[in-house]
């Protein structure tokens, strides 16, 4: 059923989880206000950057919109008088830069639509709620039994995924949730295979997978309907939140931070690991585990959004595991995401940073042992443990599961091959991105080291040593030249040492040898003494020196270098 339009030609599928960074490059004063020129960059490539111009009023508007998060954001206060002074503008620019740094470093805020529109209006100017309503309305034309109760505005973190509360006309009390999502950058299934895979979800069942009532897909998006539960997800339980509230309000700054009880951690963790193991054994790609994708029915956890990997949507924790090259498979991603989930269940909040060098006190040391095996620096260097290995750890090994619900999850052979190929493509893109990030990090580290003050001092010291060495070698070379010059001057003939003569040119003929030699040139001045090089005493006597010079002159004689002469023979008789 093709109820949605094809994507336009040349459509760019952005990965919304790629972090944005922003640097205020300059400011300019125009009449009664100041504009700030901001350089925004997506990811690590400088080529993927652009400039935006924002006034203080734009920052203020964004800050007011983000107040729903209940976070205390460091926006500089307004000033009505003296706000055009240079010193004030420079100080405010520093404050606004700090404000941008706080927003872009917050995992939830940096992924919300408000922030994305502020930094990148060209790519996030579309109203996805209206688009989703259009697609849902077209769907209802062919499926009239469904009816929209109300839109569930911003209950999820994804910009291109929208939710609606539904009901069936002949069952008005039963509530369902419809989710509509655009296709993502990791969509590698063909349109035919995608439609088959999405429909397969509505036919499968598992004790720890949340039931899909209806699902369909087209060339550009997908639509899934599930039952609605008032208690909400596992994250709603942890944060004591209302499921229908906006994502920023529910999870950004909870009023009370409190983890779950140890038995809940053990039971929920075991159930989630069991369903992950099941999916891995069946070759079904997932990679989207987090607390909001785990639905709670009593004391049973059920996994949500299995369609995300089929649609090519990026993971909630993608910006974390792209930093670590050992997390390069979807199985490894699931384990890494389980570490984040276990941390939230234990401490009632996400980890401050990953990897975590230490962990706060937990209800049991066995919890910390599991966390260390996933989120510690050693785990990031050595790789993630398998799900089977986690199930054998003391925290989960003694948990008894009593759910006897029947499992139905038989993937058609042709679809299984398509899923395998798609999984390999997803992992390949991940490895390529990790490689680029690793190279960029090495280059940045080298440049930072090269530009440090300590390194500059080292280079200055090395330059001085090299300069001294060059001067020393130059002096040595000059000394050798003077020595060679003296030796050459004394190798011409056995003349007195007080007046060394020039060597006899090899081109002199026997006739020319009878011509008296010109007076010898004045002796060359002695070379300057080199204090660094000790002078060697001359151990040869005077006679042996003169004899050596004469032998050297004879050995250097070449007959071929003599000038040719013409002989005029007048001895023959003249005949007139």
């Amino acid at each position: 059923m093709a109820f949605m339009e094809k994507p336009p030609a040349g459509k760019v599928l952005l990965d919304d989880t790629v972090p944005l960074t922003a640097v205020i490059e300059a400011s300019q004063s125009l009449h009664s206000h100041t504009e700030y020129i901001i350089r925004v960059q997506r990811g690590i490539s400088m080529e993927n950057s652009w400039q935006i111009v924002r006034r203080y009023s734009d920052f203020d508007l964004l800050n007011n919109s983000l107040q729903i998060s209940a976070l205390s954001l460091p926006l500089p206060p307004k000033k009505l008088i003296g706000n055009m002074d240079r010193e004030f503008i420079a100080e405010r620019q520093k404050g606004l830069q700090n404000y941008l740094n706080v927003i872009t470093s917050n995992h939830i805020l940096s992924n919300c639509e408000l922030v994305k529109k502020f930094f990148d209006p060209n790519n996030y100017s579309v109203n996805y709620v209206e688009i989703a309503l259009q697609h849902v309305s077209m769907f209802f034309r062919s499926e009239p039994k469904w009816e929209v109760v109300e839109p569930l505005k911003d209950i999820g973190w994804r910009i291109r995924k929208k939710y609606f509360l539904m009901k069936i006309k002949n069952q008005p009390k039963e509530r369902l949730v419809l989710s509509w999502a655009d296709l993502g950058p990791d969509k590698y299934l063909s349109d035919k295979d995608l439609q088959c895979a999405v429909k397969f979800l509505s036919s499968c069942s598992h004790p720890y997978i949340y039931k899909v009532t209806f699902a369909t897909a087209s060339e550009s998006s997908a639509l899934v309907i599930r039952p609605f539960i008032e208690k909400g997800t596992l994250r709603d339980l942890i944060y004591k939140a209302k499921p229908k509230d906006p994502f920023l309000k529910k999870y950004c700054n909870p009023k009370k931070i409190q983890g779950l009880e140890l038995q809940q951690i053990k039971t929920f963790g075991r159930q989630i690991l069991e369903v992950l193991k099941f999916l891995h054994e069946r070759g079904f790609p997932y990679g989207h585990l987090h607390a909001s994708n785990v639905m709670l029915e009593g004391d049973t956890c059920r996994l949500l959004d299995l369609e995300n990997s089929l649609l090519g949507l990026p993971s909630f924790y993608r910006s974390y595991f792209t930093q670590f090259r050992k997390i390069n498979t979807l199985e490894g991603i699931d384990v890494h995401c389980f570490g984040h989930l276990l941390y939230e269940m234990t401490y009632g909040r996400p980890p401050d940073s990953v990897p975590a060098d230490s962990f706060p006190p937990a209800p049991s040391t066995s919890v910390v042992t599991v966390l260390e095996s996933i989120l510690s620096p050693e785990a990031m260097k050595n790789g993630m443990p398998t799900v089977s290995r986690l199930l054998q750890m003391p925290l989960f090994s003694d948990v008894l599961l009593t759910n006897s619900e029947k499992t139905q999850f038989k993937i058609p052979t042709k679809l299984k091959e398509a899923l395998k190929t798609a999984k390999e493509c997803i992992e390949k893109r991940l490895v390529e991105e990790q490689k680029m990030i690793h190279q960029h990090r090495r280059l940045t580290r080298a440049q930072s080291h090269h530009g440090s003050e300590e390194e500059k001092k080292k280079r200055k010291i090395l330059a001085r040593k090299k300069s001294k060495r060059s001067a020393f070698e130059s002096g040595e070379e000059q000394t050798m030249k003077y020595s060679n010059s003296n030796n050459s001057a004394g190798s011409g003939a056995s003349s007195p040492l007080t007046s060394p003569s020039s060597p006899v040119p090899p081109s002199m003929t026997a006739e020319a040898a009878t011509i008296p030699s010109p007076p010898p040139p004045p002796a060359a001045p002695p070379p300057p003494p080199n204090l660094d090089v000790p002078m060697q005493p001359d151990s040869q006597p005077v006679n042996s020196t003169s004899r050596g010079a004469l032998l050297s002159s004879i050995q250097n004689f070449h007959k071929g270098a003599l000038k040719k002469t013409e002989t005029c023979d007048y001895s023959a008789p003249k005949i007139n």
Side-chain angles (χ1 to χ4, degrees):
M1 171 176 36
F3 63 89
M4 302 174 218
E5 299 176 359
K6 264 192 172 183
K11 178 182 178 182
V12 179
L13 295 176
L14 282 179
D15 187 341
D16 297 324
T17 63
V18 176
L20 297 179
T21 54
V23 177
I24 302 177
E25 295 183 322
S27 61
Q28 55 186 10
S29 298
L30 299 174
H31 304 295
S32 60
H33 65 271
T34 303
E35 293 182 341
Y36 299 92
I37 302 170
I38 306 171
R39 169 70 58 178
V40 183
Q41 181 175 317
R42 176 178 286 107
I44 59 174
S45 176
M46 281 294 294
E47 297 177 358
N48 199 2
S49 65
W50 58 93
Q51 276 188 345
I52 58 173
V53 178
R54 294 289 181 267
R55 301 179 183 180
Y56 178 83
S57 58
D58 299 320
F59 286 89
D60 191 43
L61 182 62
L62 173 65
N63 193 64
N64 289 335
S65 302
L66 295 177
Q67 289 303 309
I68 190 174
S69 67
L71 290 171
S72 179
L73 299 174
L75 181 70
K78 294 180 180 179
K79 186 177 182 181
L80 299 178
I81 301 174
N83 57 6
M84 300 300 290
D85 296 338
R86 286 187 177 182
E87 292 181 359
F88 171 77
I89 292 174
E91 191 66 27
R92 170 170 278 185
Q93 183 172 324
K94 291 180 182 178
L96 292 176
Q97 182 63 64
N98 180 51
Y99 178 77
L100 295 180
N101 293 342
V102 170
I103 289 176
T104 54
S105 61
N106 185 294
H107 183 60
I108 295 179
L109 289 184
S110 61
N111 283 298
C112 78
E113 189 173 4
L114 294 168
V115 173
K116 296 286 187 182
K117 282 184 176 181
F118 180 85
F119 288 126
D120 190 5
N122 292 335
N123 286 311
Y124 295 98
S125 58
V126 177
N127 189 331
Y128 281 99
V129 175
E130 290 185 2
I131 294 176
L133 280 171
Q134 292 173 8
H135 292 323
V136 172
S137 299
M138 294 175 68
F139 162 70
F140 284 149
R141 292 176 187 175
S142 56
E143 297 286 343
K145 67 176 183 177
W146 310 97
E147 185 178 337
V148 173
V149 177
E150 62 176 328
L152 300 173
K153 190 177 180 182
D154 300 328
I155 66 167
W157 68 276
R158 292 189 186 276
I159 298 172
R160 306 169 199 270
K161 191 171 188 177
K162 300 303 175 183
Y163 298 86
F164 301 89
L165 191 64
M166 308 283 296
K167 70 177 181 180
I168 304 174
K169 289 183 178 180
N170 57 3
Q171 299 176 12
K173 292 185 178 181
E174 185 179 355
R175 291 291 182 265
L176 303 102
V177 174
L178 181 150
S179 64
W180 170 90
D182 204 357
L183 301 183
D186 279 324
K187 187 261 182 184
Y188 296 106
L189 291 173
S190 66
D191 294 340
K192 184 178 179 181
D193 289 332
L194 176 61
Q195 179 75 330
C196 178
V198 170
K199 283 188 174 182
F200 162 75
L201 294 178
S202 59
S203 65
C204 68
S205 62
H206 186 276
Y208 307 119
I209 295 178
Y210 198 56
K211 177 68 178 174
V212 173
T213 305
F214 178 84
T216 186
S218 73
E219 299 91 342
S220 61
S221 56
L223 183 151
V224 180
I225 299 176
R226 293 182 175 90
F228 176 74
I229 296 181
E230 292 289 342
K231 290 184 178 180
T233 64
L234 178 56
R235 183 168 275 147
D236 293 326
L237 174 67
I238 295 171
Y239 290 81
K240 314 289 189 295
K242 298 177 181 179
K244 292 183 182 181
D245 285 343
F247 196 86
L248 294 182
K249 182 179 180 180
K250 290 187 289 187
Y251 310 129
C252 256
N253 190 25
K255 294 180 180 178
K256 187 177 181 181
I257 298 176
Q258 183 179 357
L260 304 181
E261 296 178 1
L262 180 59
Q263 190 55 45
Q264 288 178 310
I265 295 172
K266 291 167 68 71
T267 303
F268 295 163
R270 177 65 187 262
Q271 292 171 350
I272 294 167
L273 289 174
E274 287 290 346
V275 68
L276 290 178
K277 182 183 177 185
F278 177 84
L279 293 175
H280 294 173
E281 290 173 348
R282 299 301 186 280
F284 191 93
Y286 187 48
H288 292 270
L289 178 64
H290 59 85
S292 292
N293 274 351
V294 178
M295 188 63 74
L296 276 179
E297 284 187 304
D299 292 330
T300 302
C301 286
R302 299 185 190 270
L303 215 57
L304 279 171
D305 288 0
L306 265 66
E307 71 274 9
N308 283 356
S309 58
L310 307 177
L311 305 180
L313 305 182
S315 172
F316 180 67
Y317 292 117
R318 185 178 179 86
S319 60
Y320 286 89
F321 57 73
T322 49
Q323 307 296 320
F324 310 106
R325 302 181 74 181
K326 287 291 185 178
I327 309 175
N328 51 21
T329 63
L330 284 179
E331 291 83 0
I333 290 172
D334 285 335
V335 172
H336 179 76
C337 295
F338 178 78
H340 284 263
L341 175 57
L342 180 61
Y343 193 102
E344 275 190 278
M345 287 195 295
T346 305
Y347 302 111
R349 58 180 178 84
D352 295 326
S353 61
V354 175
D357 295 320
S358 60
F359 298 91
S364 170
T365 55
S366 58
V367 177
V368 177
T369 302
V370 177
L371 290 173
E372 288 176 342
S373 71
I374 301 174
L375 298 180
S376 67
E378 292 75 18
M380 301 303 171
K381 293 177 182 177
N382 302 325
M384 296 290 101
T386 62
V387 172
S388 299
R389 172 74 186 93
L390 293 177
L391 285 168
Q392 294 171 0
M393 299 184 79
L395 182 62
F396 307 114
S397 60
D398 60 349
V399 177
L400 296 177
L401 301 178
T402 57
N403 197 311
S404 59
E405 186 178 332
K406 187 179 178 182
T407 299
Q408 184 179 344
F409 203 91
K410 188 174 181 180
I411 304 174
T413 305
K414 188 176 179 182
L415 178 59
K416 187 177 288 187
E417 289 298 319
L419 291 176
K420 181 181 178 182
T421 303
K423 176 179 178 291
E424 291 172 352
C425 292
I426 293 172
E427 292 171 348
K428 182 180 179 182
R429 186 175 87 91
L430 171 63
V431 170
E432 290 174 352
E433 185 174 345
Q434 288 173 332
K435 183 179 178 181
M436 291 175 60
I437 292 174
H438 178 71
Q439 291 174 346
H440 175 74
R441 191 185 296 127
R442 287 185 61 185
L443 178 62
T444 304
R445 194 183 300 123
Q447 290 174 343
S448 176
H449 176 70
H450 191 71
S452 64
E453 291 298 324
E454 184 180 352
E455 192 64 20
K456 287 178 181 179
K457 289 180 181 179
K458 287 182 180 180
R459 287 200 299 273
K460 285 181 180 179
I461 294 171
L462 288 174
R464 288 196 199 103
K465 288 182 178 180
K466 188 175 180 181
S467 177
K468 288 181 180 180
R469 193 182 301 114
S470 299
F472 175 79
E473 291 174 354
S474 176
E476 255 192 345
E477 186 179 350
Q478 195 69 20
T479 303
M480 293 299 295
K481 283 183 180 179
Y482 283 127
S483 299
N484 292 338
S485 174
N486 287 340
N487 290 339
S488 300
S491 64
S494 56
S495 55
L497 291 176
T498 53
S499 98
S501 61
S502 299
V504 178
S507 60
M508 290 185 65
T509 60
E511 183 180 356
T514 60
I515 302 173
S517 300
N530 194 337
L531 299 178
D532 296 333
V533 182
M535 299 296 291
Q536 297 292 336
D538 191 1
S539 60
Q540 291 186 347
V542 174
N543 293 337
S544 63
T545 304
S546 301
R547 190 179 300 110
L550 178 60
L551 289 173
S552 175
S553 178
I554 295 171
Q555 287 175 352
N556 291 335
F557 177 79
H558 296 287
K559 183 179 179 182
L562 295 174
K563 291 183 179 179
K564 292 184 180 180
T565 59
E566 294 183 4
T567 305
C568 297
D569 189 5
Y570 296 102
S571 62
K574 293 183 181 181
I575 301 174
N576 295 326

